[in-house]
Amino acid sequence: MGTELISNLLEIFTAEDPMPFDHPEGDPWKDFRQIMRIEWKMEFSYRHVLGKYSKFFIELANKRFFTTECPKCGKVWGIPRPLCADCLSITRWKELPGTGVLSSFSVSYFVPAFMKVETPYVLALVKMDGADTLFTHQLRNFGRVEDIKVGMPVKVAYATEPVSHPMLLMWFEPA
């Protein structure tokens, strides 16, 4: 009996001292250089509270786009903020029409497998109508990549099927 009992064993090897020049008297970690590499698949559930941002997601589920406005300086944040970053006042919720203009974008033809999205994946920076800052989210239903242009009008589109995370309740698409 031995290591053959470990069904997920990939390899056992001896690592070399990465800094032998720093150890002329010998490797102080020599007794710890035998390495076992395994494949360990883990699955777990994670509960997360969306806290002060909860109203944003609740309203997305109701097909309404809310952000925050500072009652002191009047700044409207594209991405909601509980505190105004300019004057540190507590903000208040404000509904926006869910339309805007594409300010910038990035096209990715390769995305991590966990994202489970179609490629090309387009990340859009949108200046929302009624907001002072940009909102970043996915752009979908744009036709050809060549059709995407800075300055094009976009709108918030809302999910009609169940989603795995509240952020997937919305995306941008050409208006």
Side-chain angles (χ1 to χ4, degrees), residues 26-70:
D27 181 2
W29 292 99
K30 68 179 179 198
D31 291 343
F32 298 91
R33 295 275 180 219
Q34 191 173 25
I35 307 295
M36 176 185 286
R37 183 175 291 149
I38 62 171
E39 181 173 339
W40 187 14
K41 295 182 186 209
M42 298 186 328
E43 185 176 316
F44 58 92
S45 294
Y46 181 79
R47 292 185 183 201
H48 180 75
V49 174
L50 298 172
K52 292 178 177 69
Y53 298 92
S54 293
K55 182 174 178 73
F56 173 75
F57 296 106
I58 291 165
E59 295 302 341
L60 284 181
N62 293 319
K63 299 183 180 353
R64 297 170 64 188
F65 190 90
F66 272 73
T67 190
T68 54
E69 178 178 29
C70 178

Side-chain angles (χ1 to χ4, degrees), residues 2 16 44 46 48 73 84 128 131 156 174:
E16 293 183 21
F44 58 92
Y46 181 79
H48 180 75
C73 72
C84 178
M128 301 297 294
V156 174

Side-chain angles (χ1 to χ4, degrees), residues 21-173:
F21 52 86
D22 210 26
H23 308 125
E25 70 289 343
D27 181 2
W29 292 99
K30 68 179 179 198
D31 291 343
F32 298 91
R33 295 275 180 219
Q34 191 173 25
I35 307 295
M36 176 185 286
R37 183 175 291 149
I38 62 171
E39 181 173 339
W40 187 14
K41 295 182 186 209
M42 298 186 328
E43 185 176 316
F44 58 92
S45 294
Y46 181 79
R47 292 185 183 201
H48 180 75
V49 174
L50 298 172
K52 292 178 177 69
Y53 298 92
S54 293
K55 182 174 178 73
F56 173 75
F57 296 106
I58 291 165
E59 295 302 341
L60 284 181
N62 293 319
K63 299 183 180 353
R64 297 170 64 188
F65 190 90
F66 272 73
T67 190
T68 54
E69 178 178 29
C70 178
K72 185 174 179 187
C73 72
K75 189 157 191 177
V76 179
W77 297 92
I79 295 174
R81 302 181 66 107
L83 267 172
C84 178
D86 289 349
C87 70
L88 301 180
S89 295
I90 296 172
T91 59
R92 61 179 173 232
W93 290 101
K94 177 179 180 153
E95 185 172 8
L96 296 182
T99 57
V101 175
L102 186 65
S103 293
S104 185
F105 65 95
S106 174
V107 179
S108 180
Y109 292 91
F110 304 97
V111 296
F114 73 85
M115 287 181 65
K116 298 180 180 146
V117 296
E118 291 183 29
T119 55
Y121 177 86
V122 178
L123 186 62
L125 278 81
V126 174
K127 174 72 169 59
M128 301 297 294
D129 293 335
D132 297 310
T133 63
L134 300 176
F135 191 98
T136 306
H137 210 308
Q138 184 180 13
L139 178 68
R140 297 185 194 170
N141 304 321
F142 49 81
R144 302 174 314 139
V145 170
E146 295 79 19
D147 297 331
I148 304 171
K149 304 284 185 231
V150 168
M152 69 186 258
V154 295
K155 64 181 179 183
V156 174
Y158 298 97
T160 57
E161 301 291 324
V163 297
S164 60
H165 189 283
M167 202 63 212
L168 300 175
L169 288 167
M170 67 153 294
W171 59 87
F172 292 114
E173 56 186 37

